[in-house]
C-alpha cells in the first residue's frame, strides 16, 4: 500500500477499506508515515467524513495500536463511564463510589484535564499521598480487594489516538465527528469495559454547542460500541451553565464529598443519580436493577446513609491518600483571596454561561493549557445561581477563590460577562435532553 493512494481515495470521497485504515494507523504509529501525509488524510476525513464501517475500523485500529487491558479477573462483566467534558463536572468522584457501594466492581482509568480546570486525577490528588500511578498488578489487585480503584493509565492504551490527536490539534481537524467518536471509543475499548455509559454534553460550555450535534456524536459512539459487542448507553446533558456550583479542583472535590454525605447541589446530585442508575442498569444485564424508580430510590439511600461515602473513603485510604480529608473538609487547599460578586439588578437569571465561567477558572490558574503545566488546586469559582432563579440586587451570585490579585481582576470580568439578567421570568434549563440505548 501507499499512503498517497489512501489520501487520494478519501480526497475523492471514496470509503477506505478496513485493511487500508489498519495499515495507515500501524505505520503512522510506528513513525513510517510522516506528519504531513497523516495531516493530509485527517483533513480529507474532516472534509468528507467517514462511513460507519470506516469509523469502526479506525476505532479498533487505534484501540489495538497498544495494550488492551484485561479486567476479566475482577468480574465477568465490567462497566465504565465517560464524560465528553464539562464545566463543574466532578461526576466521577460521586458516581464511582456510589455504583461500587452496590458491590459492582469499578476499575477506572482517568486523565488529567486540559482547559478550564484539572481532570479527575487532579481533583483526587487534593488528598495528600493519593497514588494515581499504580502498576497494573496493583491496579487489578485493588479492584479485586476493594471493589473500587481510580488511577491513571497503567498501560500504553491506544497510543495511535494520542499521536493523531496531537496532530489534529495543530491542523484544525479536531471538530470531526468520526475522529472525535473513534478517539473516545478507542480508549474506552482498550480499557476493557463490557458496558459503557457516555455523558455527552451540549451547550456553550461543551465541545458540541447544540443538542443535535451532541446527539449525532452520541449515536455514532453508541453504534461503534454495539458494532464490536459492547453494551452502550449515552445521555445528552446540558452544559449551558456549570454543573453544580463549584468550578475548580479543591472546591469541586469538596462539593463531591458534600454530595456523598447526602447533600450537594440539587442539579449535580440528580445528574449523579441518573448516571449511576444507567451504570447499574448495564451491570444488571437485564436481571437486576431494571425498575428505574426503585433503583433510583435505592441509589439515593446509598447517598443519604453514608454507604457511598464509605466506599470513597476506603478508596482514598487504599491508594495511600489521607482519609481524614474526607472527614474534615477544612483541610482542603484554600485560596488566600475570597471575592464575592453581587447581583447588578433585581430580576431573573437569564444566563450563567458555562464557557465564561470556565474562562474565569482558567484565568485564576485552575486549569492548564499545556499537559505539563502546573495548576493551582485551591482556586476557582463558586456560582450560587442557576438560570431561572429570582434574584434581588445586591444578593451574592458568585464567589471567586483566588491567589493573585491580577488574576482575580481578570476572573471578575469573565464572571460578570457570564451572568445576565431579565426583568421577566426565565425558564429553567433541563439536565438531560435525550438517552440513547444500544445493546
Amino acid at each position: 500500500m501507499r499512503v498517497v493512494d489512501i489520501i487520494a481515495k478519501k480526497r475523492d470521497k471514496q470509503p477506505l477499506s478496513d485493511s487500508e485504515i489498519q495499515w495507515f494507523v500501524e505505520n503512522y504509529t510506528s513513525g513510517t508515515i510522516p506528519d504531513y501525509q497523516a495531516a493530509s488524510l485527517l483533513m480529507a476525513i474532516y472534509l468528507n467524513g467517514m462511513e460507519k464501517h470506516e469509523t469502526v475500523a479506525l476505532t479498533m485500529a487505534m484501540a489495538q495500536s497498544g495494550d488492551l487491558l484485561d479486567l476479566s479477573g475482577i468480574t465477568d462483566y465490567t462497566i465504565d463511564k465517560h464524560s465528553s467534558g464539562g464545566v463543574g463536572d466532578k461526576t466521577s468522584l460521586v458516581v464511582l463510589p456510589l455504583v461500587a457501594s452496590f458491590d459492582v466492581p469499578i476499575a477506572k482509568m482517568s486523565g488529567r484535564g486540559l482547559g478550564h480546570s484539572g481532570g479527575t486525577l487532579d481533583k483526587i490528588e487534593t488528598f495528600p499521598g493519593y497514588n494515581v500511578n499504580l502498576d497494573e498488578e496493583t491496579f487489578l489487585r485493588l479492584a479485586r480487594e476493594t471493589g473500587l480503584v481510580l488511577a491513571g493509565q497503567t498501560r500504553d492504551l491506544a497510543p495511535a489516538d494520542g499521536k493523531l490527536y496531537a496532530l489534529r490539534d495543530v491542523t484544525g481537524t479536531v471538530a470531526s465527528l468520526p475522529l472525535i467518536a473513534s478517539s473516545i471509543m478507542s480508549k474506552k475499548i482498550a480499557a476493557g469495559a463490557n458496558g459503557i455509559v457516555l455523558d455527552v454534553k451540549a451547550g456553550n460550555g461543551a465541545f458540541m454547542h447544540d443538542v443535535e450535534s451532541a446527539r449525532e456524536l452520541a449515536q455514532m459512539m453508541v453504534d461503534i460500541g454495539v458494532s464490536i459487542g459492547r453494551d452502550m448507553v449515552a445521555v445528552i446533558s446540558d452544559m449551558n451553565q456549570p454543573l453544580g456550583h463549584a468550578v475548580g479542583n479543591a472546591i469541586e472535590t469538596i462539593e463531591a464529598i458534600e454530595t456523598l454525605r447526602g447533600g450537594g447541589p440539587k442539579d449535580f446530585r440528580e445528574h449523579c443519580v441518573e448516571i449511576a442508575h444507567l451504570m447499574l442498569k448495564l451491570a444488571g444485564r437485564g436481571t437486576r436493577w431494571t425498575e428505574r424508580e426503585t433503583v433510583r430510590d435505592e441509589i439515593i439511600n446509598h447517598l443519604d446513609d453514608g454507604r457511598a461515602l464509605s466506599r470513597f473513603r476506603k478508596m482514598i485510604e487504599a491508594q495511600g491518600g489521607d482519609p481524614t480529608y474526607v472527614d474534615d473538609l477544612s483541610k482542603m487547599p484554600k485560596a488566600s483571596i475570597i471575592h464575592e460578586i453581587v447581583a447588578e439588578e433585581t430580576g431573573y437569571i437569564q444566563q450563567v454561561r458555562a464557557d465564561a465561567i470556565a474562562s474565569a477558572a482558567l484565568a485564576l490558574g485552575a486549569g492548564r493549557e499545556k499537559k505539563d503545566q502546573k495548576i493551582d488546586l485551591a482556586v476557582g469559582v463558586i456560582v450560587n445561581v442557576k438560570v431561572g432563579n429570582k434574584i434581588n440586587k445586591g444578593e451574592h451570585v458568585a464567589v471567586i477563590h483566588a491567589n493573585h490579585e491580577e488574576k482575580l481582576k481578570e476572573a471578575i470580568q469573565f464572571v460578570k460577562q457570564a451572568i445576565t439578567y431579565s426583568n421577566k421570568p426565565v425558564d429553567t434549563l433541563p439536565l438531560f435532553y435525550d438517552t440513547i440505548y444500544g445493546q
Side-chain angles (χ1 to χ4, degrees):
M1 292 186 191
R2 296 194 313 159
V3 69
V4 67
D5 296 328
I6 294 174
I7 294 168
K9 192 174 180 181
K10 180 50 66 177
R11 178 202 65 199
D12 295 339
K13 302 183 180 180
Q14 297 178 40
L16 302 178
S17 68
D18 291 4
S19 59
E20 286 171 328
I21 292 170
Q22 181 72 38
W23 182 87
F24 165 76
V25 170
E26 288 178 355
N27 283 275
Y28 180 63
T29 306
S30 68
T32 305
I33 296 173
D35 279 350
Y36 65 84
Q37 286 185 307
S40 182
L41 180 58
L42 290 173
M43 185 58 74
I45 293 170
Y46 177 87
L47 294 173
N48 297 324
M50 299 183 95
E51 294 183 2
K52 180 180 175 180
H53 80 88
E54 291 179 280
T55 308
V56 172
L58 178 59
T59 302
M60 288 307 298
M62 291 197 296
Q64 293 168 349
S65 67
D67 297 320
L68 299 174
L69 192 63
D70 182 6
L71 300 177
S72 60
I74 300 169
T75 180
D76 64 340
Y77 188 94
T78 54
I79 53 173
D80 199 356
K81 66 169 286 290
H82 174 81
S83 169
S84 63
V87 183
D89 186 6
K90 71 289 291 181
T91 309
S92 288
L93 297 182
V94 174
V95 168
L96 301 186
L98 182 52
V99 172
S101 72
F102 284 81
D103 294 326
V104 174
I106 301 288
K108 172 95 172 140
M109 290 184 179
S110 290
R112 302 196 181 277
L114 285 176
H116 62 277
S117 67
T120 301
L121 294 188
D122 299 295
K123 294 177 178 63
I124 204 71
E125 284 184 335
T126 55
F127 296 92
Y130 188 93
N131 184 14
V132 301
N133 300 311
L134 304 178
D135 59 56
E136 184 180 340
E137 182 182 352
T138 304
F139 179 83
L140 296 174
R141 177 179 59 79
L142 286 175
R144 286 192 301 270
E145 292 176 356
T146 69
L148 177 61
V149 59
L150 173 61
Q153 288 187 186
T154 61
R155 285 188 173 196
D156 193 12
L157 301 183
D161 173 63
K163 192 171 181 182
L164 282 169
Y165 188 87
L167 188 59
R168 288 165 56 203
D169 195 35
V170 295
T171 56
T173 55
V174 169
S176 160
L177 288 183
L179 294 177
I180 295 168
S182 58
S183 173
I184 292 171
M185 289 302 295
S186 66
K187 293 190 286 288
K188 292 290 103 181
I189 290 161
N194 303 102
I196 303 167
V197 175
L198 302 170
D199 182 2
V200 182
K201 310 291 187 184
N204 60 58
F207 189 77
M208 312 307 291
H209 287 177
D210 61 90
V211 174
E212 285 310 310
S213 297
R215 185 181 285 113
E216 187 179 357
L217 173 61
Q219 186 67 64
M220 192 176 292
M221 291 191 289
V222 166
D223 289 345
I224 291 171
V226 170
S227 295
I228 55 177
R230 302 301 194 269
D231 295 327
M232 302 292 301
V233 181
V235 295
I236 315 300
S237 62
D238 181 75
M239 191 39 65
N240 287 297
Q241 62 183 346
L243 182 60
H245 297 311
V247 181
N249 298 284
I251 57 177
E252 285 190 46
T253 304
I254 289 169
E255 190 164 88
I257 293 172
E258 289 171 342
T259 304
L260 286 167
R261 288 177 175 178
K266 182 180 177 181
D267 66 323
F268 177 61
R269 178 181 165 99
E270 173 59 25
H271 190 101
C272 291
V273 168
E274 182 63 16
I275 299 299
H277 152 250
L278 293 172
M279 292 179 72
L280 288 173
K281 185 179 180 72
L282 285 186
R285 287 174 280 176
T287 61
R288 293 180 294 165
W289 303 308
T290 56
E291 298 298 326
R292 185 176 188 275
E293 292 309 316
T294 302
V295 177
R296 284 173 55 85
D297 288 345
E298 188 63 18
I299 288 169
I300 291 168
N301 288 338
H302 280 226
L303 284 175
D304 292 343
D305 66 14
R307 277 178 281 183
L309 180 65
S310 176
R311 284 286 183 153
F312 183 80
R313 194 182 193 282
K314 188 176 180 181
M315 179 189 74
I316 298 298
E317 192 167 17
Q319 290 185 230
D322 187 343
T324 64
Y325 278 60
V326 180
D327 309 320
D328 184 1
L329 297 179
S330 68
K331 290 186 173 184
M332 287 287 182
K334 293 183 181 63
S336 59
I337 305 168
I338 307 297
H339 181 88
E340 295 177 335
I341 304 284
V342 299
E344 297 174 349
E345 55 188 276
T346 295
Y348 299 86
I349 300 297
Q350 185 173 43
Q351 282 190 318
V352 187
R353 288 191 64 95
D355 54 353
I357 297 297
S359 295
L362 184 59
L364 291 166
R368 55 172 70 85
E369 296 179 81
K370 296 180 180 178
K371 286 186 177 180
D372 57 354
Q373 188 174 337
K374 186 177 175 63
I375 62 175
D376 189 337
L377 294 174
V379 301
V381 182
I382 296 177
V383 183
N384 297 322
V385 292
K386 295 289 180 183
V387 170
N389 287 172
K390 194 175 187 307
I391 195 80
N392 294 315
K393 184 177 181 179
E395 287 186 26
H396 294 150
V397 294
V399 180
I400 299 176
H401 293 238
N403 278 326
H404 300 280
E405 288 288 351
E406 288 304 312
K407 292 180 178 180
L408 171 63
K409 291 177 184 177
E410 188 177 357
I412 289 171
Q413 295 307 309
F414 281 122
V415 173
K416 288 185 174 181
Q417 291 169 19
I419 302 174
T420 60
Y421 307 85
S422 170
N423 57 9
K424 297 178 182 179
V426 177
D427 290 338
T428 59
L429 293 173
L431 273 178
F432 300 99
Y433 295 102
D434 200 1
T435 304
I436 300 168
Y437 293 92
Q439 288 182 288

